[in-house]
Amino acid sequence: MIEIRGFSPGAAAPDPFCDSYPHPIDLRQIKFFTIFGAKLRLPKEKSHAPFSPVCGRSLNTNGSFISHATAVAEVMRCLGVDAEGLSSTEVEARLRQYGRNRLPDAQHKGPLLRFAQQFDNVLIYALLVAAIITGVLGHWVDTSVIVGVVVINAIVGFIQEGKAESALAAIQSMLAPLASVKREGQRVRINAEMLVLGDLVLLESGDRVPADLRLIELRNLQIDESALTGESVPVAKTPENVAPTAEIGDRKCLAYCGTVVTYGQGLGVVIATGEQTEIGRIGRMLREVEELSTPLLRKIAVFGRWLAVATFVVALLTVLFGHFLRGHSWEEMFLVAVGLAVAAIPEGLPALMTITLAIGVQRMAKRNTIVRRLPAVESLGSVTVICTDKTGTLTKNEMTVQRVITTEGVYEVGGSGYAPHGDFSYEGEPVTPLETPLLFDVARAGLLCNDAVLRKSGDHWELQGDPTEGALLTLSHKVGVDPHRHGTERTDSIPFESQNRYMATLHRDESHHFIVVKGAPETILSMSDTQRGPEGDETLDHAYWTAHIEACGAMGMRVLAVALKPVERLKALHSDHMQGGYVLLGLYGIIDPPREEAIASVARCRAAGIRIKMITGDHALTARNIGLQLGIGDGCMALTGAELEALDDDALRQAVRDVDVFARASPEHKLRLVKALQANGEIVAMTGDGVNDAPALKRADVGVAMGRKGTDAARQASEIVLTDDNFKSITAAVEEGRTTFDNITKAILFTLPTNGGEAGVLIAALLGGMVMPITAVQILWVNMVTEITLGLSLAVEPAERDVMSRQPRDPRAPILSALLSWRVLFVSLLLIAGTLGLFMWEMTQHGDVAMSRTVAVNALVMGEIFYLWNSRYTYDSVLNRRGLFGNRFVLYAIGTLLVFQALFTYAPFMQKLFGTADIDAAQWLRIVGFGVALMLLVEIEKALLRHRHAHRGHKAKV
């Protein structure tokens, strides 16, 4: 049995363990304890129960935690510090023991290794094989082009590498550079890296908290923790300890590293530094999070492996067949195998996909979406679930008065945010505020008892001060109250204090002196004796006001009350003046309301088969109400962080199927939710703006960060950044992502039949004992010119009309469905038949191999030209004006390719290089006729598929 012992404040080598617990414990019986859901194993050789700097928690005999659940005096004693602060000797000893207050540098891969890893891809291997083959053939121009594509792709990937390291560096930058501390009784300013456990830190408005602190003393201290907890308003702090089970956002006695003091002053003792802070813990999570490949890359990898194996097997079988059954030499069959490999490998497909994704990036940039990683374009179009933060994404992160309650009833206030635009209504009917005295009085009082400043900057309104007071300023502007205090002068004030829960201001005009007080409804009600009615002051109706307070609270609103008291001439306000005699003017119902465009965007996503999950650090009541207004959830069910912790992984997987609103969520909760959704087979997009969102952003299939109000850590952990912080832009990006995937599918659907047709012609000729209709060099020519002209035009295809009314693609489905695979086979057979048929016709008529091969090559290219029109729509017909002329780049590509083919056919240097010959008009007519026939046959196949699909849909409805 081992007792937990402490140390004296003057100890040279401090050991910050507590000795206050009455019962010794046997650490051999303790296997692990939980810190925010992460199980940490205690080494058996430890002889003390450690004070854990992580999140300021420490294990005591019953497994509870000390820093936020224990009185200040006990925390101070356990840390070995008194009111004078630490001595220099203690500081040096603790620096040696615990290290500096900084996050560990991320482990970076060397530049050579990072660059080499860019080539670790099946399609890149295929490209390199193609380069080797073309080099063996002596076609150095094509070799240079292929190698150039590979190197460019590697350079792009190399530049985009290191996203996690950048995110960790951004978290590192959140540590405060300087800190004011009290040491040996003196206040000194030091580098924040030199802070140690037990240091006394002084905080003032505007300071960034330099380490995790247990607050000791404070005056009106408010801290913006939105980057860490998602709380939409600054948190009023208190030195009083809270329950051991309190969530991060409810630990009012702690100040977290990286958060910002918005108001007041405070003194706290350091309970965690560096990696042991809350931000440091998130940094560890970020390093440990496994980054997933995108759905497209996973499917392309599978497709590439399948294609490589199939090409090798077919080439091997062809060589064996030709040598043993046809009697060809090994050297001759090797050349045939080389031609077959060149035909089968789509050399330009990776480059074509990269260009298509890059065009998607450009399109998204025009719709307020910056893409940091190319494959994320398609990934966003593949999502089945969007996990979104509430504050700043679905809402404006600007508090708004939505209700004003007077003795006459409830006035609804229109508009959102700090922009002073919005109408007023009473029982559904519009009202004019200036003609409604009670409404005017409430708005005027909110303006008078206010320290915030609201200014217009360009098209935006900017607030300096408390968000709640900003909402009251906006209300006064909407009502039409004179912003210059309406002819009054403020002579004194009592600032808001958490223990008083009110703010009071003293005013005078030409003939009167009066006090205005606003604050917590129960506090203001206790001060009030009467209420302002239409005919004058009347007896206070407690039941009336209590009912409205509860109704607003049920809607997730923050409620403030405001009252007024006429007084004799006063020079200063004292607490004695707040004891009673006030006239209650009314209540404000305040909330950060949903963006109007977000409501429509959520509905559009749901119509597209995408589920929306709202994950917020805010309170459950607020989350449910906002979710109901947005169409997320049912307004009744919301799981809190504490409830999530009670669920094992299997129960959580079921919960995420049924629940759409999650409140009071910590970084661990967000990460678990993303993993649970992915375990259910979902493709998940995660939005966020705070450092607490970074691990989940990195783990998600697509991380979407806020560009305006988001932290650097969130942006660096994400693939996509929204420049307007608006959920509407996510919906637009989903549309562009779906369009991009459609275009990639169309490009693959167009490219593969070309390769299939080329390979099929060679195999058919070998099986038939014929002369090769196309040489390997001619195949390379066809692949090169068709992919850089025809294939590229599909990259700029506009969105199809039903792109946002389809259900999301099945994440488990292959990149080409069975129907599309059939299309590839069908068109390949048509190309084989037409190319081989025309070659055999020309050989029969003229017996000229060069001329016959020239006809075969042009037939293959003409078939691709007409099939390009088919490829514009996967299932819909293109035999209309929009289908034939809706993409001008298709027409440009066809015109360019015809010029190339004319040079290929008639230019003397091209004839010498590729072995071609002149052909006449009759031969061209047969070539064009084949192309037209191919296009019509594919359109007939599409019509049959549409009829089959419609028939199945009708049977399903019946």
Side-chain angles (χ1 to χ4, degrees):
M1 302 292 285
I2 302 171
E3 294 186 2
I4 305 175
R5 300 189 181 276
F7 68 100
S8 65
D15 187 14
F17 304 144
C18 188
D19 65 350
S20 63
Y21 305 109
H23 305 293
I25 59 175
D26 186 352
L27 291 181
R28 292 172 297 180
Q29 298 175 0
I30 301 178
K31 289 187 177 181
F32 56 79
F33 62 100
T34 301
I35 293 181
F36 280 99
K39 294 180 178 179
L40 303 182
R41 190 171 297 277
L42 285 177
K44 291 184 179 180
E45 67 271 19
K46 286 286 185 181
S47 59
H48 297 284
F51 178 86
S52 170
V54 179
C55 311
R57 291 177 164 189
S58 177
L59 184 69
N60 67 17
T61 52
N62 61 6
S64 63
F65 305 100
I66 189 170
S67 62
H68 62 274
T70 308
V72 168
E74 185 68 12
V75 175
M76 295 279 286
R77 191 178 64 77
C78 288
L79 286 170
V81 62
D82 56 25
E84 297 300 306
L86 298 175
S87 68
S88 57
T89 304
E90 290 169 339
V91 169
E92 291 175 4
R94 296 187 187 200
L95 274 174
R96 287 194 301 269
Q97 183 173 358
Y98 299 110
R100 294 195 173 196
N101 178 34
R102 63 183 179 192
L103 300 181
D105 295 330
Q107 295 182 353
H108 299 279
K109 290 179 289 188
L112 292 178
L113 177 60
R114 285 175 53 203
F115 187 73
Q117 287 180 335
Q118 307 307 316
F119 297 90
D120 187 15
N121 180 283
V122 172
L123 282 180
I124 296 299
Y125 298 154
L127 281 176
L128 293 175
V129 170
I132 293 171
I133 292 171
T134 54
V136 170
L137 292 172
H139 208 286
W140 298 110
V141 174
D142 293 309
T143 300
S144 301
V145 170
I146 295 171
V147 171
V149 168
V150 172
V151 172
I152 290 172
N153 282 340
I155 291 173
V156 171
F158 177 79
I159 293 173
Q160 294 167 342
E161 187 72 33
K163 179 180 61 174
E165 289 82 356
S166 298
L168 292 172
I171 292 178
Q172 176 78 57
S173 69
M174 294 187 68
L175 297 178
L178 296 173
S180 293
V181 299
K182 189 176 182 182
R183 288 179 175 174
E184 298 180 329
Q186 300 295 319
R187 177 171 179 168
V188 292
R189 191 86 166 159
I190 65 169
N191 188 316
E193 283 192 9
M194 306 304 292
L195 284 173
V196 296
L197 290 181
D199 257 326
L200 299 180
V201 177
L202 296 97
L203 300 175
E204 295 180 345
S205 180
D207 285 349
R208 188 180 292 276
V209 180
D212 284 1
L213 310 177
R214 174 62 160 90
L215 296 172
I216 301 170
E217 299 175 1
L218 54 85
R219 178 175 175 81
N220 308 324
L221 184 65
Q222 296 183 24
I223 298 180
D224 180 2
E225 296 180 344
S226 58
L228 195 62
T229 66
E231 188 76 47
S232 55
V233 296
V235 178
K237 294 296 184 177
T238 174
E240 303 300 325
N241 51 291
V242 296
T245 56
E247 297 291 336
I248 293 179
D250 296 323
R251 294 175 195 161
K252 303 296 180 64
C253 57
L254 298 186
Y256 290 106
C257 179
T259 58
V260 179
V261 178
T262 60
Y263 191 79
Q265 301 164 338
L267 174 68
V269 59
V270 175
I271 58 172
T273 59
E275 193 177 20
Q276 304 304 319
T277 62
E278 178 69 13
I279 281 183
R281 186 182 60 82
I282 294 173
R284 289 199 306 276
M285 289 175 57
L286 197 58
R287 288 193 297 272
E288 295 166 1
V289 169
E290 177 187 1
E291 188 170 4
L292 300 181
S293 175
T294 69
L296 176 65
L297 294 182
R298 293 197 293 268
K299 292 174 183 177
I300 287 294
V302 172
F303 173 74
R305 288 193 293 269
W306 174 87
L307 182 62
V309 171
T311 301
F312 175 78
V313 170
V314 171
L316 179 62
L317 292 175
T318 302
V319 169
L320 296 176
F321 175 84
H323 178 72
F324 291 108
L325 298 182
R326 293 298 185 189
H328 297 294
S329 67
W330 286 110
E331 181 179 355
E332 184 180 2
M333 290 314 303
F334 172 74
L335 293 176
V336 171
V338 167
L340 187 61
V342 170
I345 296 173
E347 300 94 346
L349 186 57
L352 184 57
M353 289 172 53
T354 300
I355 292 170
T356 305
L357 291 169
I359 291 172
V361 168
Q362 294 177 347
R363 286 175 165 175
M364 286 187 176
K366 296 177 181 178
R367 304 182 76 171
N368 302 313
T369 305
I370 305 299
V371 177
R372 300 182 62 251
R373 190 162 170 255
L374 280 182
V377 179
E378 177 275 332
S379 300
L380 193 55
S382 306
V383 299
T384 58
V385 174
I386 297 177
C387 296
T388 176
D389 189 19
K390 175 184 72 69
T391 305
T393 308
L394 296 172
T395 67
K396 282 192 170 184
N397 196 17
E398 296 178 353
M399 301 302 288
T400 304
V401 177
Q402 287 196 324
R403 281 188 170 189
V404 176
I405 302 167
T406 70
T407 53
E408 291 180 320
V410 179
Y411 293 92
E412 302 290 345
V413 186
S416 62
Y418 298 133
H421 309 298
D423 298 326
F424 293 80
S425 63
Y426 177 76
E427 295 183 352
E429 297 295 327
V431 298
T432 304
L434 292 176
E435 298 176 0
T436 311
L438 294 183
L439 177 59
F440 183 89
D441 287 347
V442 173
R444 177 174 180 261
L447 172 66
L448 295 175
C449 190
N450 204 308
D451 287 328
V453 177
L454 195 61
R455 293 190 179 95
K456 189 174 184 180
S457 176
D459 296 332
H460 301 283
W461 287 80
E462 295 181 351
L463 173 69
Q464 294 179 356
D466 181 77
T468 302
E469 292 193 336
L472 301 185
L473 286 185
T474 300
L475 175 69
S476 68
H477 281 286
K478 291 178 181 178
V479 169
V481 180
D482 181 1
H484 300 293
R485 306 296 176 186
H486 203 66
T488 66
E489 176 186 358
R490 182 196 288 191
T491 58
D492 197 15
S493 66
I494 297 177
F496 177 86
E497 294 188 8
S498 56
Q499 59 268 34
N500 294 333
R501 305 188 70 193
Y502 66 77
M503 172 185 177
T505 52
L506 177 63
H507 302 268
R508 69 179 180 186
D509 55 22
E510 295 180 355
S511 56
H512 302 90
H513 290 72
F514 57 94
I515 302 171
V516 180
V517 60
K518 75 172 190 298
E522 56 273 21
T523 302
I524 306 303
L525 279 172
S526 67
M527 297 180 181
S528 302
D529 300 326
T530 58
Q531 61 190 31
R532 180 65 51 85
E535 306 300 328
D537 297 345
E538 55 191 37
T539 304
L540 188 68
D541 185 348
H542 278 275
Y544 173 84
W545 298 108
T546 300
H548 280 292
I549 292 169
E550 292 176 352
C552 289
M555 297 179 66
M557 292 184 178
R558 182 179 183 182
V559 184
L560 288 183
V562 64
L564 177 146
K565 179 167 74 172
V567 294
E568 299 296 330
R569 184 182 300 270
L570 284 179
K571 292 184 179 180
L573 275 178
H574 302 289
S575 58
D576 293 343
H577 300 134
M578 314 306 298
Q579 299 305 312
Y582 282 84
V583 180
L584 183 64
L585 300 179
L587 304 174
Y588 308 101
I590 306 173
I591 201 169
D592 180 15
R595 294 174 182 263
E596 295 176 0
E597 63 271 27
I599 298 174
S601 297
V602 168
R604 196 168 182 222
C605 283
R606 294 180 66 180
I610 301 171
R611 291 190 67 183
I612 309 297
K613 307 284 185 181
M614 185 170 73
I615 308 174
T616 177
D618 226 328
H619 293 279
L621 198 61
T622 303
R624 287 202 304 266
N625 178 59
I626 294 296
L628 184 62
Q629 295 182 51
L630 287 160
I632 302 173
D634 56 6
C636 299
M637 182 178 293
L639 281 181
T640 65
E643 292 168 333
L644 287 178
E645 287 186 354
L647 301 178
D648 60 23
D649 290 345
D650 290 337
L652 185 59
R653 287 182 60 180
Q654 181 58 46
V656 295
R657 293 188 180 100
D658 303 328
V659 181
D660 293 331
V661 177
F662 302 88
R664 302 311 267 173
S666 70
E668 285 90 349
H669 300 147
K670 295 181 180 184
L671 185 57
R672 280 193 72 202
L673 287 168
V674 170
K675 288 182 177 179
L677 288 164
Q678 290 171 333
N680 287 342
E682 308 285 0
I683 301 297
V684 182
M686 174 76 193
T687 75
D689 55 6
V691 63
N692 60 324
D693 298 317
L697 288 170
K698 181 184 174 186
R699 170 69 191 202
D701 296 281
V702 187
V704 183
M706 305 298 110
R708 289 175 56 192
K709 297 181 179 179
T711 61
D712 286 341
R715 287 192 290 267
Q716 293 297 334
S718 301
E719 289 85 2
I720 289 175
V721 178
L722 303 183
T723 60
D724 60 351
D725 293 9
N726 196 330
F727 189 84
K728 178 182 178 181
S729 296
I730 300 176
T731 309
V734 168
E735 180 179 356
E736 291 296 347
R738 287 190 172 191
T739 301
T740 299
F741 184 86
D742 281 354
N743 292 347
I744 289 174
T745 303
K746 292 170 185 177
I748 295 173
L749 198 58
F750 169 76
T751 301
L752 292 186
T754 303
N755 300 102
E758 293 166 351
V761 166
L762 296 180
I763 293 172
L766 182 64
L767 293 175
M770 299 167 51
V771 176
M772 289 294 110
I774 306 176
T775 67
V777 176
Q778 290 171 342
I779 289 172
L780 278 172
W781 165 263
V782 173
N783 288 351
M784 182 174 65
V785 297
T786 57
E787 287 167 0
I788 66 173
T789 55
L790 303 183
L792 191 58
S793 68
L794 293 174
V796 292
E797 273 292 309
E800 295 190 21
R801 285 173 291 189
D802 67 339
V803 70
M804 287 301 284
S805 59
R806 311 173 194 156
Q807 293 298 299
R809 299 187 308 277
D810 184 349
R812 296 160 294 188
I815 195 166
L816 290 181
S817 65
L819 288 178
L820 296 185
S821 298
W822 152 251
R823 175 80 52 78
V824 171
L825 176 62
F826 178 61
V827 177
S828 297
L829 292 174
L830 292 178
L831 287 173
I832 292 169
T835 302
L836 201 58
L838 287 174
F839 175 79
M840 294 171 63
W841 170 268
E842 294 299 330
M843 288 293 292
T844 302
Q845 297 296 315
H846 305 288
D848 188 332
V849 175
M851 179 186 295
S852 299
R853 284 176 172 170
T854 304
V855 169
V857 170
N858 279 294
L860 186 61
V861 170
M862 192 62 65
E864 290 188 53
I865 287 175
F866 280 92
Y867 177 56
L868 177 66
W869 269 303
N870 298 121
S871 301
R872 289 198 60 217
Y873 300 144
T874 307
Y875 297 107
D876 290 344
S877 173
V878 295
L879 299 179
N880 51 63
R881 181 179 179 82
R882 183 171 180 265
L884 295 175
F885 306 105
N887 183 352
R888 67 180 186 276
F889 294 101
V890 167
L891 304 179
Y892 297 158
I894 291 173
T896 302
L897 182 55
L898 290 176
V899 172
F900 283 152
Q901 284 306 114
L903 292 172
F904 172 83
T905 304
Y906 298 109
F909 74 95
M910 297 290 275
Q911 290 180 343
K912 183 177 180 180
L913 185 62
F914 291 101
T916 57
D918 295 348
I919 58 177
D920 58 27
Q923 291 167 316
W924 276 113
L925 186 62
R926 286 190 290 272
I927 290 170
V928 172
F930 161 65
V932 172
L934 184 148
M935 183 178 75
L936 294 177
L937 287 172
V938 174
E939 287 301 304
I940 291 172
E941 182 255 357
K942 283 190 194 178
L944 293 174
L945 289 178
R946 290 196 302 273
H947 175 74
R948 180 184 178 189
H949 179 74
H951 180 67
R952 283 184 173 180
H954 176 72
K955 288 181 67 178
K957 290 180 180 178
V958 174

mmCIF file of all heavy atoms in Angstrom, residues 98-115:
data_model
loop_
_atom_site.group_PDB
_atom_site.id
_atom_site.type_symbol
_atom_site.label_atom_id
_atom_site.label_comp_id
_atom_site.label_asym_id
_atom_site.label_seq_id
_atom_site.Cartn_x
_atom_site.Cartn_y
_atom_site.Cartn_z
ATOM 1 N N TYR A 98 9.727 19.194 -16.354
ATOM 2 C CA TYR A 98 8.573 19.148 -17.260
ATOM 3 C C TYR A 98 8.836 19.742 -18.632
ATOM 4 O O TYR A 98 8.033 19.568 -19.547
ATOM 5 C CB TYR A 98 7.380 19.863 -16.621
ATOM 6 C CG TYR A 98 6.945 19.235 -15.319
ATOM 7 C CD1 TYR A 98 7.152 19.881 -14.109
ATOM 8 C CD2 TYR A 98 6.354 17.976 -15.309
ATOM 9 C CE1 TYR A 98 6.770 19.303 -12.910
ATOM 10 C CE2 TYR A 98 5.960 17.378 -14.119
ATOM 11 C CZ TYR A 98 6.182 18.050 -12.920
ATOM 12 O OH TYR A 98 5.798 17.461 -11.741
ATOM 13 N N GLY A 99 9.958 20.468 -18.791
ATOM 14 C CA GLY A 99 10.261 21.059 -20.086
ATOM 15 C C GLY A 99 9.561 22.387 -20.293
ATOM 16 O O GLY A 99 8.798 22.860 -19.455
ATOM 17 N N ARG A 100 9.842 22.978 -21.427
ATOM 18 C CA ARG A 100 9.290 24.298 -21.729
ATOM 19 C C ARG A 100 7.823 24.205 -22.150
ATOM 20 O O ARG A 100 7.344 23.154 -22.571
ATOM 21 C CB ARG A 100 10.106 24.970 -22.834
ATOM 22 C CG ARG A 100 11.537 25.292 -22.404
ATOM 23 C CD ARG A 100 12.173 26.267 -23.359
ATOM 24 N NE ARG A 100 13.474 26.708 -22.875
ATOM 25 C CZ ARG A 100 14.109 27.778 -23.335
ATOM 26 N NH1 ARG A 100 13.560 28.508 -24.292
ATOM 27 N NH2 ARG A 100 15.294 28.112 -22.865
ATOM 28 N N ASN A 101 7.161 25.340 -22.073
ATOM 29 C CA ASN A 101 5.742 25.437 -22.429
ATOM 30 C C ASN A 101 5.615 25.631 -23.933
ATOM 31 O O ASN A 101 5.315 26.712 -24.441
ATOM 32 C CB ASN A 101 5.107 26.616 -21.680
ATOM 33 C CG ASN A 101 3.649 26.804 -22.050
ATOM 34 O OD1 ASN A 101 2.937 25.837 -22.308
ATOM 35 N ND2 ASN A 101 3.207 28.055 -22.093
ATOM 36 N N ARG A 102 5.867 24.574 -24.668
ATOM 37 C CA ARG A 102 5.716 24.622 -26.121
ATOM 38 C C ARG A 102 5.361 23.229 -26.616
ATOM 39 O O ARG A 102 5.629 22.230 -25.944
ATOM 40 C CB ARG A 102 6.986 25.123 -26.792
ATOM 41 C CG ARG A 102 8.211 24.228 -26.589
ATOM 42 C CD ARG A 102 9.437 24.850 -27.220
ATOM 43 N NE ARG A 102 10.618 24.020 -27.028
ATOM 44 C CZ ARG A 102 11.847 24.442 -27.277
ATOM 45 N NH1 ARG A 102 12.046 25.674 -27.706
ATOM 46 N NH2 ARG A 102 12.870 23.629 -27.085
ATOM 47 N N LEU A 103 4.789 23.210 -27.793
ATOM 48 C CA LEU A 103 4.395 21.932 -28.371
ATOM 49 C C LEU A 103 5.591 21.309 -29.078
ATOM 50 O O LEU A 103 6.435 22.014 -29.637
ATOM 51 C CB LEU A 103 3.249 22.133 -29.365
ATOM 52 C CG LEU A 103 1.973 22.735 -28.783
ATOM 53 C CD1 LEU A 103 0.916 22.846 -29.865
ATOM 54 C CD2 LEU A 103 1.454 21.903 -27.624
ATOM 55 N N PRO A 104 5.673 19.991 -29.089
ATOM 56 C CA PRO A 104 6.795 19.340 -29.780
ATOM 57 C C PRO A 104 6.722 19.572 -31.271
ATOM 58 O O PRO A 104 5.630 19.660 -31.848
ATOM 59 C CB PRO A 104 6.611 17.855 -29.429
ATOM 60 C CG PRO A 104 5.158 17.713 -29.115
ATOM 61 C CD PRO A 104 4.751 19.016 -28.481
ATOM 62 N N ASP A 105 7.869 19.715 -31.876
ATOM 63 C CA ASP A 105 7.917 19.886 -33.320
ATOM 64 C C ASP A 105 7.444 18.606 -33.996
ATOM 65 O O ASP A 105 7.756 17.495 -33.565
ATOM 66 C CB ASP A 105 9.335 20.221 -33.786
ATOM 67 C CG ASP A 105 9.792 21.578 -33.252
ATOM 68 O OD1 ASP A 105 8.917 22.441 -33.061
ATOM 69 O OD2 ASP A 105 11.006 21.751 -33.031
ATOM 70 N N ALA A 106 6.695 18.803 -35.083
ATOM 71 C CA ALA A 106 6.221 17.641 -35.834
ATOM 72 C C ALA A 106 7.386 16.961 -36.535
ATOM 73 O O ALA A 106 8.345 17.606 -36.955
ATOM 74 C CB ALA A 106 5.185 18.076 -36.866
ATOM 75 N N GLN A 107 7.323 15.639 -36.637
ATOM 76 C CA GLN A 107 8.345 14.893 -37.347
ATOM 77 C C GLN A 107 8.080 14.985 -38.839
ATOM 78 O O GLN A 107 7.043 14.538 -39.323
ATOM 79 C CB GLN A 107 8.348 13.428 -36.905
ATOM 80 C CG GLN A 107 8.750 13.238 -35.448
ATOM 81 C CD GLN A 107 8.779 11.781 -35.060
ATOM 82 O OE1 GLN A 107 8.380 10.916 -35.823
ATOM 83 N NE2 GLN A 107 9.259 11.517 -33.857
ATOM 84 N N HIS A 108 9.009 15.582 -39.544
ATOM 85 C CA HIS A 108 8.837 15.794 -40.982
ATOM 86 C C HIS A 108 9.589 14.725 -41.771
ATOM 87 O O HIS A 108 10.706 14.354 -41.428
ATOM 88 C CB HIS A 108 9.366 17.177 -41.377
ATOM 89 C CG HIS A 108 8.648 18.294 -40.708
ATOM 90 N ND1 HIS A 108 7.439 18.763 -41.154
ATOM 91 C CD2 HIS A 108 8.975 19.040 -39.623
ATOM 92 C CE1 HIS A 108 7.042 19.763 -40.377
ATOM 93 N NE2 HIS A 108 7.959 19.942 -39.445
ATOM 94 N N LYS A 109 8.969 14.259 -42.841
ATOM 95 C CA LYS A 109 9.666 13.378 -43.768
ATOM 96 C C LYS A 109 10.609 14.225 -44.614
ATOM 97 O O LYS A 109 10.312 15.369 -44.940
ATOM 98 C CB LYS A 109 8.653 12.661 -44.661
ATOM 99 C CG LYS A 109 7.816 11.636 -43.941
ATOM 100 C CD LYS A 109 6.831 10.974 -44.865
ATOM 101 C CE LYS A 109 5.717 11.908 -45.267
ATOM 102 N NZ LYS A 109 4.643 11.244 -46.010
ATOM 103 N N GLY A 110 11.741 13.646 -44.960
ATOM 104 C CA GLY A 110 12.698 14.360 -45.781
ATOM 105 C C GLY A 110 12.141 14.646 -47.160
ATOM 106 O O GLY A 110 11.259 13.925 -47.659
ATOM 107 N N PRO A 111 12.628 15.687 -47.817
ATOM 108 C CA PRO A 111 12.086 16.059 -49.132
ATOM 109 C C PRO A 111 12.263 14.973 -50.179
ATOM 110 O O PRO A 111 11.375 14.769 -51.013
ATOM 111 C CB PRO A 111 12.872 17.333 -49.489
ATOM 112 C CG PRO A 111 14.077 17.320 -48.603
ATOM 113 C CD PRO A 111 13.664 16.627 -47.355
ATOM 114 N N LEU A 112 13.386 14.239 -50.147
ATOM 115 C CA LEU A 112 13.583 13.185 -51.138
ATOM 116 C C LEU A 112 12.580 12.054 -50.955
ATOM 117 O O LEU A 112 12.015 11.527 -51.927
ATOM 118 C CB LEU A 112 15.012 12.641 -51.036
ATOM 119 C CG LEU A 112 16.122 13.615 -51.461
ATOM 120 C CD1 LEU A 112 17.494 12.965 -51.276
ATOM 121 C CD2 LEU A 112 15.931 14.047 -52.914
ATOM 122 N N LEU A 113 12.334 11.669 -49.686
ATOM 123 C CA LEU A 113 11.367 10.615 -49.415
ATOM 124 C C LEU A 113 9.967 11.062 -49.811
ATOM 125 O O LEU A 113 9.208 10.302 -50.413
ATOM 126 C CB LEU A 113 11.405 10.241 -47.934
ATOM 127 C CG LEU A 113 10.387 9.187 -47.485
ATOM 128 C CD1 LEU A 113 10.598 7.878 -48.240
ATOM 129 C CD2 LEU A 113 10.480 8.952 -45.979
ATOM 130 N N ARG A 114 9.622 12.314 -49.466
ATOM 131 C CA ARG A 114 8.302 12.819 -49.833
ATOM 132 C C ARG A 114 8.116 12.823 -51.341
ATOM 133 O O ARG A 114 7.050 12.479 -51.852
ATOM 134 C CB ARG A 114 8.115 14.233 -49.282
ATOM 135 C CG ARG A 114 7.867 14.297 -47.784
ATOM 136 C CD ARG A 114 7.814 15.735 -47.300
ATOM 137 N NE ARG A 114 6.865 16.518 -48.069
ATOM 138 C CZ ARG A 114 6.910 17.842 -48.190
ATOM 139 N NH1 ARG A 114 7.873 18.519 -47.604
ATOM 140 N NH2 ARG A 114 5.997 18.482 -48.886
ATOM 141 N N PHE A 115 9.173 13.214 -52.070
ATOM 142 C CA PHE A 115 9.053 13.254 -53.531
ATOM 143 C C PHE A 115 8.948 11.841 -54.095
ATOM 144 O O PHE A 115 8.149 11.573 -55.000
ATOM 145 C CB PHE A 115 10.261 13.981 -54.126
ATOM 146 C CG PHE A 115 10.145 14.224 -55.603
ATOM 147 C CD1 PHE A 115 9.273 15.183 -56.110
ATOM 148 C CD2 PHE A 115 10.914 13.486 -56.495
ATOM 149 C CE1 PHE A 115 9.159 15.393 -57.473
ATOM 150 C CE2 PHE A 115 10.804 13.702 -57.864
ATOM 151 C CZ PHE A 115 9.924 14.662 -58.353
#
